[in-house]
Amino acid sequence: MTGGRSGGMFAVLRLLPLRPAGHQTPIRERGHFSRGLSWRARWVGEWFQVVVWTVQDLAVWEELERSGRYVADERYLCMPESEDGPCSHSHYAYLWMVEQMKRYIGPAPKGVKYPIWAWYKCYGSATGKPDMRGYMRQFDTPQVRLELNVPDWDVLISDFDDWHFALNYCYLPEDEGDADSFDAWCASHGLEFLKLQDWRIGGCDYQEARHRIERSWTRLLGVDRNAGFGGDWSKRTLQATFWELKRDQVLSHELFMPRADATDR
């Protein structure tokens, strides 16, 4: 989707066990979860803050400097609704993510439809700091890498690799056994894999299978070290989504120009 004009990031993580928006978590409980999961976060006053990273076009930084706030601009979506079709549902997955944000962190501010996307943890790293040397998107456009300090109640974190099950409209299994069980259920009802993604094909069994697929995506929400279909925590990549980017959330910023040969690095 988009975290700004640069296209944005993909993946999801949460800082607290998922509860509907409006649930007040005691501060002591917040601290317990942060230590237990070793999240990269810090206390500011009495509130728990989360450190995330995002790469945006220079224009986003200029807007932050000018107005103190930036929200995702629908004109720059990298997977717009117009690209979805009977068998392609990537934009639909982003709308699903928007609904999860409404449920767990609350409704979007007035005038905001899509979230900002950022990194909480990168592959092989303890932080979400992107390596600018390998950044390949829009190599002819100045970019800015932002380190952000976001309140924990304003951010939803998810697993980047598992997110691709939603993007590809696939079932996200809890484990190999669950994957086999879903496949066996589909086979017993005469369902074909490719037809599950073709919304032109109806019928009660196909509708039930699609309900199961979409319900399975909730497994990508969370930071449990033992969760994630990929397994190994050190190899997991976690993304963060939040409704708006504010200037006073910026801990550091660094301007750079992506290299044309970054894909070869």
Side-chain angles (χ1 to χ4, degrees), residues 10-14 93 96-97 117 119 157-175 213-214 216-233 235-239:
F10 305 104
V12 179
L13 159 97
R14 75 173 186 268
W96 175 88
M97 179 62 73
W117 293 71
W119 298 113
I157 300 177
S158 54
D159 188 287
F160 174 75
D161 293 315
D162 289 351
W163 169 235
H164 288 75
F165 284 82
L167 288 175
N168 292 293
Y169 205 81
C170 293
Y171 183 79
L172 174 55
E174 186 172 2
D175 50 35
I213 287 172
E214 293 182 24
S216 75
W217 298 343
T218 59
R219 294 178 179 134
L220 65 85
L221 304 173
V223 292
D224 185 350
R225 287 176 176 271
N226 298 315
F229 195 58
D232 189 343
W233 170 260
K235 297 179 180 180
R236 290 179 66 189
T237 300
L238 301 172
Q239 62 191 359

Side-chain angles (χ1 to χ4, degrees), residues 16-208:
L16 300 172
L18 290 178
R19 298 187 175 105
H23 177 94
Q24 297 299 314
T25 303
I27 296 300
R28 182 179 300 175
E29 187 178 353
R30 294 171 186 255
H32 168 75
F33 283 116
S34 66
R35 290 192 295 272
L37 293 177
S38 299
W39 295 327
R40 183 169 186 259
R42 66 173 188 163
W43 290 93
V44 177
E46 64 175 349
W47 301 112
F48 191 57
Q49 302 286 318
V50 184
V51 177
V52 298
W53 298 76
T54 186
V55 174
Q56 301 288 343
D57 277 9
L58 178 59
V60 173
W61 173 249
E62 292 172 341
E63 177 63 22
L64 281 176
E65 288 282 76
R66 185 185 67 82
S67 69
R69 178 176 182 261
Y70 180 79
V71 298
D73 191 328
E74 191 171 355
R75 294 175 300 170
Y76 300 102
L77 301 182
C78 64
M79 293 184 180
E81 186 176 7
S82 60
E83 294 186 5
D84 273 12
C87 301
S88 177
H89 314 295
S90 294
H91 184 83
Y92 179 82
Y94 283 100
L95 296 180
W96 175 88
M97 179 62 73
V98 166
E99 291 305 310
Q100 306 314 301
M101 292 180 64
K102 292 177 181 178
R103 179 181 181 187
Y104 295 117
I105 65 177
K110 184 178 180 179
V112 177
K113 184 176 180 180
Y114 296 101
I116 303 293
W117 293 71
W119 298 113
Y120 175 80
K121 180 187 178 301
C122 291
Y123 180 93
S125 172
T127 77
K129 184 178 182 179
D131 186 344
M132 296 185 297
R133 295 171 299 175
Y135 193 81
M136 68 195 78
R137 185 180 287 119
Q138 297 180 331
F139 62 85
D140 59 343
T141 305
Q143 306 284 299
V144 59
R145 182 175 66 185
L146 301 173
E147 180 185 14
L148 308 172
N149 199 41
V150 184
D152 67 344
W153 60 89
D154 283 342
V155 64
L156 182 64
I157 300 177
S158 54
D159 188 287
F160 174 75
D161 293 315
D162 289 351
W163 169 235
H164 288 75
F165 284 82
L167 288 175
N168 292 293
Y169 205 81
C170 293
Y171 183 79
L172 174 55
E174 186 172 2
D175 50 35
E176 293 289 351
D178 184 47
D180 292 340
S181 294
F182 179 74
D183 289 344
W185 182 87
C186 289
S188 69
H189 289 77
L191 306 183
E192 299 179 29
F193 173 75
L194 292 179
K195 291 183 178 179
L196 291 175
Q197 299 175 334
D198 189 342
W199 287 1
R200 294 169 298 186
I201 299 176
C204 294
D205 289 338
Y206 274 105
Q207 292 302 322
E208 172 59 25

